[in-house]
Amino acid sequence: MKTTLFLTTFLLISFFSISQNLTNGSLSGNCVGNGFSAPSCIKGWAASHGIPVVSGNLNTNTWATLRVTKENGGGIFTNYNFVVGKKYEISFKVKAVTNLNAEEIKIQNPSVNVRTSSNLTNTTSEKQPQIEETSELVWAIDVTKSKSFWKTVKFTFIPIQNNTQLWFYPSVENQFKLGINSMVQMEIDDILVQELNDNNLVHFQNTTQTNSDDFIESVVVVSNPIFRGHISKIFTNDVNLKEISLIDLSGNTKNIKFTIANKESINFILDEATPPTIYTLKMTHKNGKVITKKIIVQ
């Protein structure tokens, strides 16, 4: 797998008689630079905010680079109809880097994110759209390194709310408190979304930091943000969990009671006394394997 700094080609929407599919294709555009602002030179993709960039060689390949700095941000989205309860296999290649130092990383919590949404419009506004309650987090990973290798992400996503868009963007806690030369950068390639039937094998993605390009079957938390007092779900290919705990930013740990709903999902409820903020959800399996994922509690 190449270790280039930017990403490669995007997609087209095509509809098949059995399922809806989003496949690689139309991100091979006819321009480089600011190619997502209206009118976009990349068919089917638009800027959710900022100035996402098309990079590459027009004769061979183009790709997208999304960056957040003090002055600007960047995100892209495309149309796709996600329906509650249906299964979708999502895969893409991603590379994410930052030049923030350790103290800045602790304060800013830089991450790269994939969400479903319904309310995005094409805009170059520097402000990231604040639609957390009406969108759903599909996948996210913390960014802590200044160098990165391509990583292939592949997992099954089961929506808990209907949405009509797929959205990629990097983020920090407070963009306007970044240093003048500070940045977090996300690169994506080879995006594929396809609807699965009940007979398809379900894949779950480990979101812990790794330089490996290998796909890791593990756990994905579908409910994110998590709303206090509501049933939240963990979908997993291994329900043999020994313990689930919530770790706040100060390192305080709270064990969470959970129930096994079926062979691939676990239910839990956070009480109203849980302060709304960012946490690490720690899942310990009976075989000793530990999976962690950053979540937002509201």
Side-chain angles (χ1 to χ4, degrees):
M1 182 173 292
K2 295 179 181 178
T3 56
T4 49
L5 281 179
F6 300 107
L7 304 213
T8 37
T9 338
F10 279 136
L11 351 162
L12 245 203
I13 293 181
S14 58
F15 293 91
F16 293 81
S17 59
I18 296 176
S19 63
Q20 177 189 199
N21 293 275
L22 177 63
T23 57
N24 211 31
S26 67
L27 209 75
S28 290
N30 57 5
C31 71
V32 293
N34 182 9
F36 296 98
S37 300
S40 172
C41 70
I42 303 296
K43 184 180 177 183
W45 288 87
S48 61
H49 62 293
I51 306 176
V53 173
V54 180
S55 303
N57 187 320
L58 292 178
N59 296 322
T60 57
N61 196 17
T62 55
W63 57 82
T65 301
L66 316 177
R67 178 179 283 195
V68 58
T69 65
K70 185 181 182 70
E71 291 83 15
N72 211 331
I76 57 173
F77 69 95
T78 191
N79 295 322
Y80 191 94
N81 190 35
F82 292 95
V83 179
V84 169
K86 289 192 174 182
K87 295 179 182 179
Y88 302 89
E89 183 174 85
I90 300 176
S91 64
F92 51 88
K93 289 192 298 185
V94 63
K95 189 178 351 177
V97 296
T98 183
N99 61 3
L100 300 181
N101 61 37
E103 188 59 34
E104 290 173 315
I105 287 172
K106 188 176 178 182
I107 295 170
Q108 287 285 6
N109 293 307
S111 64
V112 294
N113 312 273
V114 182
R115 280 184 176 270
T116 63
S117 59
S118 295
N119 300 309
L120 296 170
T121 57
N122 191 304
T123 177
T124 56
S125 169
E126 295 174 8
K127 240 176 147 183
Q128 178 184 311
Q130 299 300 304
I131 58 172
E132 281 83 0
E133 288 195 24
T134 58
S135 65
E136 182 175 355
L137 187 65
V138 175
W139 179 90
I141 192 168
D142 297 338
V143 184
T144 60
K145 299 179 184 299
S146 58
K147 221 178 238 192
S148 178
F149 297 93
W150 286 106
K151 177 180 179 181
T152 299
V153 177
K154 184 179 180 182
F155 57 93
T156 297
F157 171 60
I158 306 174
I160 60 172
Q161 60 187 61
N162 296 326
N163 271 309
T164 58
Q165 297 167 329
L166 183 65
W167 181 25
F168 293 81
Y169 65 95
S171 66
V172 293
E173 285 292 308
N174 192 326
Q175 174 184 349
F176 303 108
K177 288 189 177 180
L178 287 173
I180 191 67
N181 296 314
S182 298
M183 67 85 184
V184 179
Q185 180 173 291
M186 178 184 193
E187 307 169 60
I188 329 143
D189 185 22
D190 296 340
I191 304 167
L192 173 65
V193 182
Q194 57 183 335
E195 187 179 320
L196 301 178
N197 59 45
D198 289 337
N199 295 323
N200 286 104
L201 178 65
V202 177
H203 298 289
F204 296 92
Q205 178 66 32
N206 182 359
T207 59
T208 54
Q209 293 292 330
T210 176
N211 285 329
S212 170
D213 292 328
D214 298 330
F215 165 63
I216 303 171
E217 274 194 291
S218 188
V219 172
V220 61
V221 178
V222 177
S223 304
N224 202 353
I226 288 175
F227 295 94
R228 295 169 296 170
H230 294 193
I231 295 176
S232 298
K233 289 184 178 290
I234 297 171
F235 290 91
T236 176
N237 61 339
D238 179 4
V239 295
N240 292 313
L241 287 182
K242 176 183 176 182
E243 184 179 85
I244 302 176
S245 55
L246 204 61
I247 305 172
D248 66 21
L249 296 176
S250 299
N252 300 312
T253 300
K254 175 183 179 181
N255 287 339
I256 301 171
K257 292 181 179 179
F258 63 92
T259 59
I260 297 173
N262 53 50
K263 64 181 181 180
E264 60 181 34
S265 65
I266 293 165
N267 294 346
F268 65 95
I269 299 177
L270 294 184
D271 60 48
E272 297 287 349
T274 306
T277 186
I278 296 172
Y279 292 88
T280 297
L281 189 68
K282 180 180 177 182
M283 295 154 280
T284 305
H285 289 249
K286 291 178 181 177
N287 63 5
K289 180 174 67 176
V290 174
I291 303 295
T292 60
K293 180 159 184 172
K294 186 171 75 173
I295 62 170
I296 300 169
V297 173
Q298 294 183 348

